[in-house]
Amino acid sequence: MKAVLYAIRTFGREIRSGEVVVLLAAVALAVAALTAVGFLTDRIGRAVERQANEVLAADLRLRTPDPIPAAWHATASDHGLRSAETQTFPSVVFAGDFSSLATIKGVTEGYPLRGNVRIASQLFGEQRVAEGVPASGTIWADGALMARLDVAVGDRVSIGEAEMVIDAVLMYRPDQSIGFASLAPSLVINALDLPATALINEGSRVSYALLVAGDTNAVDDFYEEIEVLLPESVRSRNREEGSDRASNAADRAQRFLSLTAVISLLLSAVAIAMSARRFAHRRMDTVALMKSLGASQQFVISAAFVQLVLLGILGVLLGSVMGFVVEALVTNMLADVIQGDLPPAGFTPVFLACGSALILLIGFALPSLLQLRDTPPLRVLRHDEMPPAPSRLLVVGTSLLAVAVMLYQAIGDGLMLLIVLGGMLVVSAVLYVAGRGLVILMGRSRGGVGIAWRYGLANVARRGRDSAIQVVAFGLGLTVLLLLTFVRTDLLEEWQQTLDANAPNHFLINIQPQERSSIEAIFAANGVAVPNFVPMVRARMKTINGADVKEREYPEEGGKWMANREQNLTWATHISESNELVDGEWWPADYVGDPLVSLEEDAARELGVELGDRLSFIIAGREIEAKVASTRKVNWDSFQPNFFLVMSPGSLDNYPSTFISGARIAEEGKRTLVELVRSHPTVSVIDIDAILVQITGILDKVSLAVQAVFVFTLAAGIAVLFAAVQSTIDERRFESAMLRALGVRRRTVLSGVLTEFVALGFAAGLLAAAGASILAAIVTIQLFELDYAFNPLLWLAGLLGGIALVCVSGFIAARGAINAPPVDVLRAA
């Protein structure tokens, strides 16, 4: 208790000392950076998740064959959630002498809860965002349906017993299928008009859906409460189970943002470690005096620990305020660029940042405090008397434990943690060995140069271990800054290139074999590139290695759904450009023999299927069996027609098939589509431009977020450089005073210091460039599954940036020591 009271009484005086100000600044900057990064990753991450939820038109969708009970809406309202309802069923729509099968979708007010419906005033005309739902007595009709009925906007159609006016062309709705599951064109109608159609009666095949949206926690609470009441016929879906393309983009976005948070965390750890080392070293004289006056080791360590905690609390408070201010400024900056409001900030990033900073502070300061505890009283008389250093295993173990706990709390991504932390450890070891080598080299090669160079190079050699530690600190700071720069530029550009500028923006489905030639002629006549036609056969899987798919057990939950869903089969002579062979062999182009099948790798894993296994399918009442010949990795982001299962050529020749195609059609070529749907009314055209805009919007948000976060990470990196310089500032002050007292000019002393920093910066920059290049390759391939492209500018930036940053930060931090009057320094010594 005495130690606590002593620490509190003396804290006010200690806080004014220079080394405590440096440590306080390091902690505050760590918290500010982590808080700002946390706010951005949290808020923009939730914005990205909301945008990904557009594929469901909600945050949660409950689909059932029975009418939605009013109690479900009431429960959603009790949780503060918005809700809407849809009713979907097939029916025939009439217009004069024409008729067509259509998918009727009745919607209530509020639909869609996420995303927007887009409509147009004419076929393939300029799109606009729909406001609300169709007015009573009107509908929004798919362009293919209008072509089949030969009607235009303003015409009347019959739906059941009701007549409706076509108010607009339905161009896009967020929950429309692009998986070719629904071949009939659709129309959207106000749910209040459905009773007038008299189409929904007892025994009618209707799919009802409850859409729910709101705060994530509230949605989870709602589902937890209602799940026990749901019959087995209800199928629930959230964003994680939604569109692969949007989910992949959102997941990659979260990883990008998490990577920036990890890098900021590592920089903060290095800055605190360097500052804490000096914090303990500067207290050795005070501890020696206290011990000579009878203070016990427990009293000394307790007082120092309490002061360290108080320092951490103060740094946390200052950093939190800075983080709030910075977050507000950046949010205002991004609000002008990002469409839509960002979700409100939560306090989770604050708690995480504060807890992380305190763990960092204690984790990296504990080894120094243990050394402080063992300070001998003799140091009162002999300032060179140093306490024994704790074992390196303890130092490394404590630091690693602190960093590992925080990183896992920050990202919860074991693979990223292993790659980044493991990479930093390897880089640190290499930097330390290189630093030791630099010390030896400078000790042997400083002759034959001017006095400033000899002084600077002698400083590197004389400090030995301290110089090596500075190389580690400088190198780590530069490594992570270069790595983040690479992520912000080359890696992000590579990711955006996965959305090919020539990727299809329209899908044509339900093309009959006899229609191919006339469709090709329409494209050619209008000067549009003729697309490739891919065959498709509808099938259901029956057995896997002779076992019924309904009774078989699967290694993953998705396997049962994959086996029992309706399958889209195709055949091909060559593997698609958007596919990559993972295992097995692709069949020859002229293959003739028993049917073979190639599976997408995730589907094979979920089904528990390996090479050589046999799968059987039911197609049009007939059974076909195929042997698994290979597995493939599919780039779903390519927006090419891709399949989970691809058969060998000739396997499906005797089965009924249709064709699908993906085409890139510019705005001026939309008349091609009008001609196509009018001459081929059974062909459905799906416009996915809006989905491409959705994915691109996610990438744009991530790009802005990463660039904003880079500013704070850069500040944390500069803090590392300052902390590294500050670790030897006392020696520099004394050396400068001695040299100037002996007549050496201030300019010469300054040149010598800059020479030292040039040597340290060159070594750190060279190794940082190498480390950043290797880590960037691993991160690109392992975390983001993209192709790595070597960037020579990274090495140039490492060398020049290392020298420039280290010299500038060193000059700013050390100029006070150089400018200090020699007489003041020598008297204090």
Side-chain angles (χ1 to χ4, degrees), residues 445-570:
S445 60
R446 65 175 183 266
V449 292
I451 183 173
W453 278 91
R454 286 201 303 273
Y455 169 59
L457 300 180
N459 281 346
V460 175
R462 184 175 63 256
R463 292 195 174 94
R465 180 171 174 271
D466 287 339
S467 293
I469 292 176
Q470 283 186 316
V471 170
V472 173
F474 290 144
L476 278 179
L478 291 170
T479 297
V480 293
L481 286 177
L482 289 171
L483 176 61
L484 185 57
T485 302
F486 181 86
V487 171
R488 189 176 61 95
T489 53
D490 292 353
L491 185 57
L492 195 54
E493 289 175 5
E494 179 70 19
W495 182 28
Q496 290 174 324
Q497 287 173 5
T498 61
L499 289 177
D500 188 355
N502 295 318
N505 60 354
H506 291 80
F507 277 117
L508 282 63
I509 64 176
N510 198 30
I511 302 172
Q512 300 301 316
Q514 65 273 15
E515 294 179 308
R516 287 181 54 183
S517 58
S518 59
I519 292 177
E520 291 175 352
I522 290 174
F523 277 95
N526 286 277
V528 179
V530 177
N532 294 322
F533 295 92
V534 180
M536 185 178 72
V537 174
R538 308 289 287 178
R540 280 198 175 274
M541 193 178 297
K542 181 181 180 182
T543 65
I544 299 178
N545 292 328
D548 193 311
V549 294
K550 295 182 179 180
E551 301 175 358
R552 187 174 180 270
E553 294 185 359
Y554 299 91
E556 295 189 21
E557 185 176 352
K560 185 175 182 180
W561 174 81
M562 175 64 65
N564 288 277
R565 69 190 286 266
E566 192 171 16
Q567 305 288 344
N568 293 321
L569 304 182
T570 189

Side-chain angles (χ1 to χ4, degrees), residues 732-745:
R732 298 182 190 280
R733 184 180 291 110
F734 182 77
E735 291 171 358
S736 175
M738 289 292 296
L739 289 173
R740 293 181 63 191
L742 294 174
V744 179
R745 292 182 300 174

Side-chain angles (χ1 to χ4, degrees), residues 714-764:
L714 180 62
I718 293 175
V720 170
L721 304 182
F722 272 85
V725 175
Q726 286 287 341
S727 65
T728 57
I729 200 68
D730 296 326
E731 296 178 31
R732 298 182 190 280
R733 184 180 291 110
F734 182 77
E735 291 171 358
S736 175
M738 289 292 296
L739 289 173
R740 293 181 63 191
L742 294 174
V744 179
R745 292 182 300 174
R746 174 183 172 279
R747 179 179 178 181
T748 302
V749 176
L750 180 59
S751 298
V753 171
L754 290 180
T755 299
E756 176 186 355
F757 289 141
V758 167
L760 295 175
F762 178 82

Side-chain angles (χ1 to χ4, degrees), residues 1-10 299 302-303 306-307 310:
M1 190 62 183
K2 292 182 179 180
V4 175
L5 294 175
Y6 169 79
I8 294 175
R9 284 198 307 269
T10 59
F299 180 89
S302 298
V306 170
Q307 288 187 347
L310 293 174

Side-chain angles (χ1 to χ4, degrees), residues 13 27 221 349 352 369 376 433 454 505 598 659 675 696 723 760-761 763:
R13 182 176 67 250
V27 175
D221 293 341
L352 178 60
L369 290 181
V433 172
R454 286 201 303 273
N505 60 354
S598 176
F659 287 84
E675 181 180 347
T696 304
L760 295 175

